[in-house]
Amino acid sequence: MQRKQVGFIALSTSGHRPKAHYLPLDSIRGLAASCVVILHFVISETMIASFPNKAWVDVAFFHNAWMFVDLFFVLSGIVISFSYTQFDFGTFSFRDFVVRRLARIYPLHIVTLFATLGFRLLKIAVVAFGVMHLVPAETPVNNLYSFVANVFLLHALGVLDYLSWNGPSWSISAEFYTYLIFGAVLVFAQRREDIRIVYIASLLLILTSLLIMVFVMHRSAIDFHYQFGIVRCVFSFFLGVLTVRAVASISAETPGLVKTTVQIGSVAVSILLVCVVGIIPEISFVAPLVFAVLLGSLMAFPTCVLPRVLSIAPLVWLGKRSYSIYMVHALVLMPLEYAVRGVGSRRIEAFDSLFPGIAASTLLLMFVAAVLVLANLTYLYVEIPGSKFVLRFFNRAPAEALAPMPGRVLGR
């Protein structure tokens, strides 16, 4: 396999089907996943109750970082749409598409699910042996029914009325069935030999999901998950699909000032929306559109300052492991919460007396570091080999992790 760096785009050629892979988009995903990690630390009831002072980064931006899940959905729509509408529209295979999607998401999902089960069983054992006392719990939601729902990725389809097991995985459930919808749309468009059907259907699905959220589900914000979280995913995912089409229509002669203004402006608006959504929940419906503008501008204008910054090695490293970061952080947080209870408030207060907030901030730093270490291991030893195993099982050649995405998207 040969790999080369062209601008900010990682290219590899190995004979396998190309898959869109644009480094700045990966880096954005990695940063967003890290923000979600911090979110679940700062909103943890155990951490709130145990520390006399908040961590220094315990601010509105991280409390509202749940909005970055919608960024993940938009980004998935962009990457998958680019791959299958720009490269494979004429030869699209629904079966091959589903196998590749399963290979990408399922190995890590099933490993983290069983790891969560292992932790729960260990907790029961240590309580039974009197090592620790039972903490009134989340255990009622972690039952056989919810476990089976998680195994089959059904837990964002309204079959449960609670988060269970590895809580963040609800979004993987929503994405998988959104993939199936996208695949069905693509098959229909392919049979009609008209790519425009993909974009017309995308617009209809966006409008339909918005109407369902507002008038059927009566949501005042887009912050929902097990309650048919797939509707939320469809809304953002197909915005990503339309983003690819919009980028294709942008002129290569766009003035540099306009390019920079759009990129920096969309970053600023995104941060502002995340900061104030707790005060004005309704603006969360606007966030996926702003995220789409941001991500689309990175694709359309790859030579600006922002894509350069997002292409530095540490952020690229983070981006490659973003899925693992997102999926394993709850596994790190669970034992950490028990450890904090074991240490006790007296020792924590003594440490925090050195400087207000130092105890929570230090533990947060340790938490993030532990998540990154574990994510690196699962990326290397679960994600990559797991994907290859699934593809071999279904007799498909392993897809490359990196493959060409041109600096500008070509229209059809």
Side-chain angles (χ1 to χ4, degrees):
M1 181 185 73
Q2 294 179 340
R3 287 183 56 188
K4 56 183 177 179
Q5 192 80 8
V6 179
F8 313 108
I9 303 134
L11 303 184
S12 64
T13 55
S14 62
H16 298 309
R17 181 189 65 77
K19 177 185 176 184
H21 190 90
Y22 184 45
L23 297 183
L25 297 188
D26 269 2
S27 297
I28 285 283
R29 195 200 308 263
L31 290 170
S34 300
C35 289
V36 173
V37 171
I38 296 173
L39 157 71
H40 287 129
F41 181 95
V42 299
I43 67 170
S44 164
E45 292 182 3
T46 297
M47 303 307 173
I48 292 172
S50 301
F51 290 92
N53 291 287
K54 297 179 179 180
W56 298 326
V57 296
D58 191 340
V59 295
F61 177 82
F62 290 112
H63 275 264
N64 299 328
W66 54 265
M67 288 179 64
F68 290 125
V69 174
D70 300 286
L71 183 145
F72 299 152
F73 294 153
V74 174
L75 207 158
S76 290
I78 288 174
V79 172
I80 291 174
S81 173
F82 188 90
S83 295
Y84 289 97
T85 61
Q86 298 291 320
F87 293 119
D88 286 346
F89 178 67
T91 58
F92 178 76
S93 164
F94 185 80
R95 181 184 183 278
D96 182 68
F97 172 70
V98 173
V99 168
R100 290 185 183 279
R101 291 297 90 210
L102 277 174
R104 177 70 183 96
I105 67 174
Y106 200 73
L108 185 57
H109 165 66
I110 205 70
V111 166
T112 54
L113 176 60
F114 274 90
T116 307
L117 172 62
F119 177 79
R120 301 301 179 192
L121 293 176
L122 177 62
K123 186 179 72 171
I124 292 172
V126 296
V127 169
F129 285 103
V131 177
M132 73 177 190
H133 297 294
L134 181 64
V135 177
E138 65 278 28
T139 48
V141 305
N142 294 321
N143 50 51
L144 179 60
Y145 175 69
S146 62
F147 187 84
V148 172
N150 275 260
V151 167
F152 289 99
L153 292 170
L154 299 171
H155 47 306
L157 306 187
V159 301
L160 302 173
D161 58 359
Y162 46 77
L163 284 176
S164 59
W165 300 98
N166 186 22
S169 70
W170 74 266
S171 65
I172 308 308
S173 164
E175 277 206 41
F176 177 71
Y177 290 99
T178 302
Y179 296 154
L180 300 188
I181 295 172
F182 174 78
V185 168
L186 208 58
V187 167
F188 181 73
Q190 185 184 48
R191 290 178 178 176
R192 304 286 295 193
E193 297 183 348
D194 190 350
I195 190 66
R196 293 174 299 179
I197 290 175
V198 173
Y199 305 118
I200 294 170
S202 296
L203 180 59
L204 292 175
L205 286 165
I206 291 167
L207 294 175
T208 300
S209 57
L210 180 60
L211 291 174
I212 290 173
M213 286 188 287
V214 175
F215 296 107
V216 178
M217 302 178 71
H218 304 290
R219 306 300 308 188
S220 60
I222 206 170
D223 182 20
F224 60 97
H225 18 72
Y226 54 80
Q227 317 98 317
F228 295 99
I230 186 174
V231 179
R232 172 182 176 183
C233 183
V234 166
F235 177 65
S236 295
F237 181 95
F238 284 95
L239 273 173
V241 175
L242 289 186
T243 299
V244 173
R245 183 66 189 89
V247 169
S249 66
I250 296 175
S251 170
E253 304 304 319
T254 304
L257 180 60
V258 173
K259 296 177 182 179
T260 301
T261 300
V262 171
Q263 287 187 349
I264 302 303
S266 56
V267 169
V269 174
S270 296
I271 293 173
L272 178 63
L273 286 175
V274 174
C275 288
V276 304
V277 70
I279 303 171
I280 315 171
E282 292 80 7
I283 65 172
S284 61
F285 291 104
V286 180
L289 180 59
V290 176
F291 295 152
V293 173
L294 169 60
L295 298 172
S297 72
L298 292 174
M299 294 171 61
F301 314 132
T303 58
C304 292
V305 173
L306 186 57
R308 290 176 181 272
V309 172
L310 291 171
S311 298
I312 63 175
L315 293 183
V316 171
W317 184 94
L318 194 71
K320 287 181 180 179
R321 291 150 181 82
S322 57
Y323 180 45
S324 276
I325 291 170
Y326 180 75
M327 290 293 285
V328 307
H329 74 273
L331 291 173
V332 179
L333 185 60
M334 286 186 294
L336 185 63
E337 289 176 331
Y338 282 96
V340 167
R341 295 189 191 110
V343 169
S345 58
R346 183 174 300 178
R347 292 187 180 92
I348 292 173
E349 289 175 2
F351 182 41
D352 201 67
S353 64
L354 298 175
F355 199 92
I358 192 173
S361 299
T362 300
L363 188 63
L364 173 58
L365 186 62
M366 294 170 61
F367 169 56
V368 172
V371 168
L372 294 181
V373 170
L374 180 58
N376 185 53
L377 294 174
T378 55
Y379 171 74
L380 295 174
Y381 301 111
V382 178
E383 278 195 66
I384 295 175
S387 177
K388 291 179 179 178
F389 172 81
V390 172
L391 291 171
R392 281 196 300 267
F393 182 82
F394 288 99
N395 299 317
R396 288 292 181 270
E400 276 301 304
L402 296 179
M405 173 180 276
R408 292 193 51 77
V409 182
L410 302 178
R412 280 187 175 270

